[in-house]
Structures are given as C-alpha cells and as structure tokens.
Short mmCIF file of all heavy atoms in Angstrom, two decimals:
data_model
loop_
_atom_site.label_atom_id
_atom_site.label_comp_id
_atom_site.label_asym_id
_atom_site.label_seq_id
_atom_site.Cartn_x
_atom_site.Cartn_y
_atom_site.Cartn_z
N ALA Q 75 15.57 62.00 43.11
CA ALA Q 75 15.64 62.78 44.33
C ALA Q 75 15.15 64.21 44.05
O ALA Q 75 15.16 64.65 42.89
CB ALA Q 75 17.07 62.81 44.85
N PRO Q 76 14.73 64.93 45.09
CA PRO Q 76 14.23 66.30 44.88
C PRO Q 76 15.27 67.17 44.17
O PRO Q 76 16.44 67.20 44.56
CB PRO Q 76 13.98 66.79 46.31
CG PRO Q 76 13.72 65.56 47.09
CD PRO Q 76 14.60 64.50 46.48
N GLY Q 77 14.85 67.84 43.12
CA GLY Q 77 15.73 68.74 42.39
C GLY Q 77 16.72 68.06 41.46
O GLY Q 77 17.58 68.72 40.88
N LYS Q 78 16.61 66.74 41.33
CA LYS Q 78 17.54 66.01 40.47
C LYS Q 78 16.80 65.25 39.38
O LYS Q 78 15.60 65.02 39.48
CB LYS Q 78 18.38 65.03 41.31
CG LYS Q 78 19.30 65.71 42.30
CD LYS Q 78 20.22 64.70 42.96
CE LYS Q 78 21.20 65.38 43.89
NZ LYS Q 78 22.13 64.39 44.52
N GLN Q 79 17.54 64.84 38.36
CA GLN Q 79 16.95 64.06 37.29
C GLN Q 79 16.78 62.60 37.73
O GLN Q 79 17.49 62.11 38.62
CB GLN Q 79 17.84 64.12 36.05
CG GLN Q 79 17.87 65.48 35.37
CD GLN Q 79 18.60 65.45 34.04
OE1 GLN Q 79 19.48 64.64 33.83
NE2 GLN Q 79 18.21 66.33 33.14
N ARG Q 80 15.84 61.94 37.08
CA ARG Q 80 15.66 60.52 37.35
C ARG Q 80 16.90 59.77 36.89
O ARG Q 80 17.46 60.05 35.81
CB ARG Q 80 14.42 60.01 36.61
CG ARG Q 80 13.99 58.62 37.01
CD ARG Q 80 12.66 58.25 36.38
NE ARG Q 80 11.59 59.13 36.84
CZ ARG Q 80 10.30 58.91 36.55
NH1 ARG Q 80 9.94 57.85 35.82
NH2 ARG Q 80 9.38 59.75 36.98
N GLU Q 81 17.34 58.80 37.71
CA GLU Q 81 18.56 58.07 37.39
C GLU Q 81 18.35 56.56 37.49
O GLU Q 81 17.51 56.09 38.26
CB GLU Q 81 19.71 58.49 38.31
CG GLU Q 81 19.49 58.18 39.78
CD GLU Q 81 20.70 58.54 40.65
OE1 GLU Q 81 21.64 59.18 40.14
OE2 GLU Q 81 20.69 58.16 41.83
N PHE Q 82 19.15 55.86 36.74
CA PHE Q 82 19.11 54.40 36.73
C PHE Q 82 19.66 53.85 38.05
O PHE Q 82 20.66 54.36 38.58
CB PHE Q 82 19.95 53.89 35.56
CG PHE Q 82 20.22 52.42 35.57
CD1 PHE Q 82 19.24 51.51 35.20
CD2 PHE Q 82 21.47 51.93 35.96
CE1 PHE Q 82 19.48 50.16 35.19
CE2 PHE Q 82 21.73 50.58 35.96
CZ PHE Q 82 20.74 49.69 35.58
N VAL Q 83 19.00 52.81 38.57
CA VAL Q 83 19.48 52.13 39.78
C VAL Q 83 19.93 50.70 39.44
O VAL Q 83 21.08 50.33 39.70
CB VAL Q 83 18.38 52.09 40.86
CG1 VAL Q 83 18.86 51.28 42.07
CG2 VAL Q 83 17.98 53.49 41.27
N ALA Q 84 19.04 49.92 38.87
CA ALA Q 84 19.35 48.54 38.55
C ALA Q 84 18.30 47.99 37.61
O ALA Q 84 17.16 48.49 37.58
CB ALA Q 84 19.40 47.67 39.82
N ASP Q 85 18.69 46.97 36.81
CA ASP Q 85 17.69 46.26 36.03
C ASP Q 85 18.07 44.80 35.88
O ASP Q 85 19.18 44.38 36.21
CB ASP Q 85 17.40 46.95 34.69
CG ASP Q 85 18.57 46.94 33.72
OD1 ASP Q 85 19.50 46.12 33.89
OD2 ASP Q 85 18.55 47.76 32.78
N ILE Q 86 17.09 44.03 35.39
CA ILE Q 86 17.28 42.59 35.25
C ILE Q 86 16.49 42.12 34.04
O ILE Q 86 15.34 42.49 33.84
CB ILE Q 86 16.84 41.86 36.54
CG1 ILE Q 86 17.10 40.36 36.44
CG2 ILE Q 86 15.39 42.15 36.90
CD1 ILE Q 86 16.97 39.62 37.78
N THR Q 87 17.13 41.32 33.20
CA THR Q 87 16.47 40.78 32.03
C THR Q 87 15.60 39.58 32.41
O THR Q 87 15.70 39.06 33.52
CB THR Q 87 17.50 40.34 30.98
OG1 THR Q 87 18.23 39.23 31.49
CG2 THR Q 87 18.46 41.47 30.63
N SER Q 88 14.79 39.14 31.48
CA SER Q 88 13.90 38.02 31.75
C SER Q 88 14.68 36.71 31.97
O SER Q 88 14.16 35.77 32.56
CB SER Q 88 12.88 37.84 30.63
OG SER Q 88 13.50 37.85 29.37
N ASN Q 89 15.95 36.67 31.52
CA ASN Q 89 16.77 35.48 31.79
C ASN Q 89 17.74 35.69 32.95
O ASN Q 89 18.65 34.88 33.17
CB ASN Q 89 17.50 35.01 30.54
CG ASN Q 89 18.47 36.04 30.00
OD1 ASN Q 89 18.70 37.07 30.63
ND2 ASN Q 89 19.03 35.79 28.83
N GLY Q 90 17.58 36.80 33.68
CA GLY Q 90 18.30 36.96 34.94
C GLY Q 90 19.58 37.77 34.91
O GLY Q 90 20.27 37.87 35.93
N ARG Q 91 19.93 38.36 33.79
CA ARG Q 91 21.13 39.18 33.75
C ARG Q 91 20.86 40.53 34.42
O ARG Q 91 19.87 41.18 34.11
CB ARG Q 91 21.59 39.40 32.31
CG ARG Q 91 22.96 40.06 32.21
CD ARG Q 91 23.42 40.16 30.78
NE ARG Q 91 22.61 41.12 30.03
CZ ARG Q 91 22.03 40.84 28.89
NH1 ARG Q 91 22.14 39.65 28.35
NH2 ARG Q 91 21.32 41.77 28.27
N THR Q 92 21.77 40.93 35.29
CA THR Q 92 21.55 42.15 36.08
C THR Q 92 22.56 43.24 35.75
O THR Q 92 23.69 42.96 35.31
CB THR Q 92 21.63 41.84 37.58
OG1 THR Q 92 22.92 41.31 37.89
CG2 THR Q 92 20.57 40.84 38.01
N SER Q 93 22.16 44.48 35.98
CA SER Q 93 23.04 45.63 35.86
C SER Q 93 22.75 46.57 37.02
O SER Q 93 21.60 46.67 37.46
CB SER Q 93 22.80 46.38 34.54
OG SER Q 93 23.07 45.57 33.43
N TYR Q 94 23.79 47.27 37.49
CA TYR Q 94 23.63 48.17 38.63
C TYR Q 94 24.35 49.49 38.37
O TYR Q 94 25.39 49.52 37.72
CB TYR Q 94 24.23 47.55 39.90
CG TYR Q 94 23.52 46.32 40.39
CD1 TYR Q 94 23.95 45.05 40.01
CD2 TYR Q 94 22.42 46.43 41.24
CE1 TYR Q 94 23.29 43.91 40.47
CE2 TYR Q 94 21.76 45.29 41.70
CZ TYR Q 94 22.20 44.05 41.31
OH TYR Q 94 21.55 42.92 41.76
N ALA Q 95 23.81 50.54 38.95
CA ALA Q 95 24.54 51.79 38.99
C ALA Q 95 25.71 51.64 39.95
O ALA Q 95 25.62 50.90 40.95
CB ALA Q 95 23.62 52.92 39.46
N ASP Q 96 26.81 52.33 39.67
CA ASP Q 96 27.99 52.21 40.55
C ASP Q 96 27.67 52.61 41.98
O ASP Q 96 28.24 52.06 42.93
CB ASP Q 96 29.10 53.11 40.01
CG ASP Q 96 29.73 52.56 38.74
OD1 ASP Q 96 29.55 51.36 38.45
OD2 ASP Q 96 30.41 53.33 38.03
N SER Q 97 26.77 53.55 42.16
CA SER Q 97 26.46 54.07 43.48
C SER Q 97 25.76 53.05 44.39
O SER Q 97 25.73 53.24 45.61
CB SER Q 97 25.59 55.32 43.37
OG SER Q 97 24.38 55.02 42.70
N VAL Q 98 25.22 51.98 43.80
CA VAL Q 98 24.49 51.01 44.62
C VAL Q 98 25.12 49.62 44.58
O VAL Q 98 24.66 48.71 45.29
CB VAL Q 98 23.01 50.91 44.20
CG1 VAL Q 98 22.36 52.29 44.22
CG2 VAL Q 98 22.84 50.25 42.85
N LYS Q 99 26.16 49.44 43.78
CA LYS Q 99 26.80 48.12 43.68
C LYS Q 99 27.29 47.66 45.05
O LYS Q 99 27.91 48.42 45.80
CB LYS Q 99 27.97 48.18 42.71
CG LYS Q 99 27.57 48.09 41.25
CD LYS Q 99 28.80 48.12 40.35
CE LYS Q 99 28.38 48.06 38.88
NZ LYS Q 99 29.55 48.17 37.97
#
C-alpha cells in the first residue's frame, strides 16, 4: 500500500499447502 512496506498475503506450495496472512484469512 502507499507509504507502507510490502507484506505477505498468501502462498501455496506445488503440492497445494496454503498459508495466509491473518488480515485476509
């Protein structure tokens, strides 16, 4: 976001395991 650092949102491994930031869960 403007004026903020880049932050993690979500990711997924090649076998389908997912992770999310608390703000978007």
Side-chain angles (χ1 to χ4, degrees):
K78 295 187 177 181
Q79 291 188 333
R80 191 173 297 188
E81 63 177 9
F82 169 77
V83 176
D85 66 19
I86 183 168
T87 66
S88 49
N89 62 7
R91 189 176 69 232
T92 60
S93 298
Y94 294 94
D96 287 343
S97 59
V98 306
K99 280 182 181 177

